[in-house]
Every structure is written in structure tokens, then in C-alpha cells.
Amino acid sequence: MEDANLSVGYVAKRTGVKVSTLHFYEEKGLIFSWRNHGNQRRYKRDVLRRISIIKAAQRLGVSLEVIKQTFNELPNNKTPDKEDWKALSKRWQNQLEERIQSLIKLRDSLDGCIGCGCLSMQSCPIYNPEDALESEGPGPVILNRK
Amino acid sequence: MEDANLSVGYVAKRTGVKVSTLHFYEEKGLIFSWRNHGNQRRYKRDVLRRISIIKAAQRLGVSLEVIKQTFNELPNNKTPDKEDWKALSKRWQNQLEERIQSLIKLRDSLDGCIGCGCLSMQSCPIYNPEDALESEGPGPVILNRK
DNA sequence: TTAAAACCTCAAGCTAACTTGAGGTAAAGT
DNA sequence: ACTTTACCTCAAGTTAGCTTGAGGTTTTAA
């Protein structure tokens, strides 16, 4: 009963993502399936958790590429269990923290700059990324709307 | 001397953006130029400030579309002066603040979730956007790298 | 048994913010 | 005068993360 074979439509309904997204994730190597007699995708139940993790990580600002790499680091590319998720989320939490700090820095520079209005390309802290904000940093922060 | 006619190459060098980007901004209606005898672009000096503002706003997470709209709201689509910039940056600072708060909320949920590991699609706060994070919210946070 | 619902593949489209390239003209340096 | 550098236009390509559509097959429900 535990390694049930779930259809793509069922998985879509349960996770709230579209069927096309599941196809897409599979193509990208983020999830896996086998085919039934009539060439239709079938999934193990753990795909649900895998997708939860993908979605959670995305909300933390982690790209699909990085998520995939992370999965690959787990023995046998297994779906992260409780302990794994603990480690992953700690790691991503740190990156989140860095991004928050960057934004706070930016907000504070802005405080200083409002009223100055110089916007000198050479010295304005709003314009200039010198302050580690972009230097090698954590990459784009993206919270997807909708 | 003040409304000098600057070449596209000069403006590119001074602002650190590529010539193709200047073409692009012009096409999008973010900056303006006239042509010399030989059909080459010429800019007023204030284009430098305009580009500074575009870049600054982008770092605050404002899209080109919104930047353009904002410029359009200024009388005669003039380049924002010190006072204008004060108002604009205040406005954008608020949006920045909201994004920071969203991320902090997310970080804190994460704190609670690490160790729990449930990731229930139905109840996990990391997965679920219920907490105003996505609801109509401030839109995508994007810090462009490079 | 038949019709609707679900599934399949593959190609192309979407958004943002640009970049690259081809093919040609103008301006500047020697 | 000649050559290099700068500039021009227009079309197409790039990245991420998907979505849409066409044309066809399989499953399921009545």
C-alpha cells in the first residue's frame, strides 16, 4: 500500500501543481516516475513529499537547479527524510538570512540617502553594490507571486 | 555647456551600462535622445542622472515598467530632481520594507519547522503562503546579480 | 459499447531585462 | 587617403520556470 502507483492527475491535485509542471520537473530530473502498460506515468507516494520540498525551497529563494543538486547529494538521490530536511533547511535558512541582511543594509543606505539626492554613480551607496550586496552573493531573491 | 550632446559610447562609459542597454532603455521609453547629422544618438547631460535612478530603483527591486510609469507621473516626464527622488525613494523604501518583513516571517516559520519536518501541504507554514506573504503582496523580490 | 475524461509527445510561447550578431554607415585618428 | 573605431538597424538568442496547443492514445464511467 505504501509504494502505491499514483497517476499524474492525482499527484497534481494533491500537490496543487499543474500536470505540465510535473512533466517539467521530471524532464529536469527533480522527480521520477515509471510507466504503466499504456505509457502513462506512475509515481511512488514519496513524490508528494519531494514536491513539497521543492515548493518550500522555492519559497526560500532556492533555484530548481540548486534543489536538484541538493537532491543529488543525498545517497541514491532519495527523497529527503526528516533529518535531511532539517539539514537542508538550516543551510537555506542561512542564505535567507544573508539576503535579509543585504536588504536591510540597502534599506538603511536609502535612509541616509533620502534627502541627499546625489545619486553619484561614484559614491552613492544606493547605486553602488560595493557593500557585499552583489559581490559573489546569494544570487537573486525571488518570491514567486500567484 | 550644460545640455551638451553626449554620444552613446560616452554615456555607456560614464554609467557603466552597455550601449545595447541604452538602446534598449530608449526603446522602452525610459530615456530619450535626438539624432545628429549622421543619425547617431545624442543625449542631454541629465540622462546620466536618469540612468543612475534607473539603476538605483532596480536595486530596490523596482521593475523597469514601474520605473517608467513613475517617470511618466512627473510633469513633462522630466528627470527626477532631488525632491522627486526623495519622494520616489520613500515610496520604494516602503515596498522594500514589506519585502524584508515577508522574508523575516518566512525565516521565522522556518525556525519553527526545522526539526518538525512535516512539510504537510495542508498545514506547514513554509509551504503555505497563507500568511500574507503571497496574498496580493509586494510581488517578486529580485536582486539582480552581476 | 461508446463517449468523456485523462493521458501522451513535441514544439512553441511567455516574461523580464538584456545581449549578440550580421551587414552596413559615420566619424576620428594618422 | 585610409583605416580603425564608433555607431546604426533589425532579428534572434539568453535564462528561469513554466504554460499552451495540436494531434493522438488510454482509461474510466455510464
Side-chain angles (χ1 to χ4, degrees), chain A residues 14-15 48-49 51-53 55-56 59-60 82 85-86 89-90 93 96-97 100 103-104 106-107 110-111 113-119 121-122 125-129 131 133-134 137 139-146, chain B residues 14-15 48-49 51-53 55-56 59-60 82 85-86 89-90 93 96-97 100 103-104 106-107 110-111 113-119 121-122 125-129 131 133-134 137 139-146:
Chain A
R14 279 292 304 274
T15 59
L48 298 176
R49 182 180 178 82
I51 293 164
S52 295
I53 288 172
K55 288 302 171 190
R59 279 188 32 91
L60 301 182
K82 191 169 160 173
W85 167 246
K86 207 164 163 175
S89 49
K90 270 255 160 69
Q93 191 185 35
L96 182 57
E97 187 60 34
I100 290 172
L103 289 179
I104 287 175
L106 184 59
R107 181 195 58 191
L110 193 51
D111 254 342
C113 280
I114 290 176
C116 146
C118 66
L119 271 184
M121 291 267 189
Q122 281 72 42
I126 299 297
Y127 181 70
N128 287 289
D131 50 32
L133 227 171
E134 301 296 319
V141 180
I142 300 176
L143 288 187
N144 44 2
R145 55 157 88 257
K146 185 177 63 160
Chain B
R14 279 292 303 276
T15 58
L48 299 176
R49 182 180 178 81
I51 294 163
S52 295
I53 288 172
K55 287 303 170 188
R59 280 192 26 93
L60 301 182
K82 191 168 159 174
W85 168 245
K86 206 163 161 176
S89 48
K90 270 255 160 70
Q93 191 185 34
L96 183 57
E97 186 61 34
I100 290 172
L103 289 180
I104 287 176
L106 183 59
R107 180 197 57 193
L110 193 50
D111 253 343
C113 282
I114 291 176
C116 146
C118 66
L119 271 184
M121 290 267 188
Q122 281 72 41
I126 297 298
Y127 180 71
N128 287 291
D131 49 33
L133 226 170
E134 301 295 319
V141 180
I142 301 175
L143 288 186
N144 44 2
R145 53 156 89 256
K146 185 173 59 164

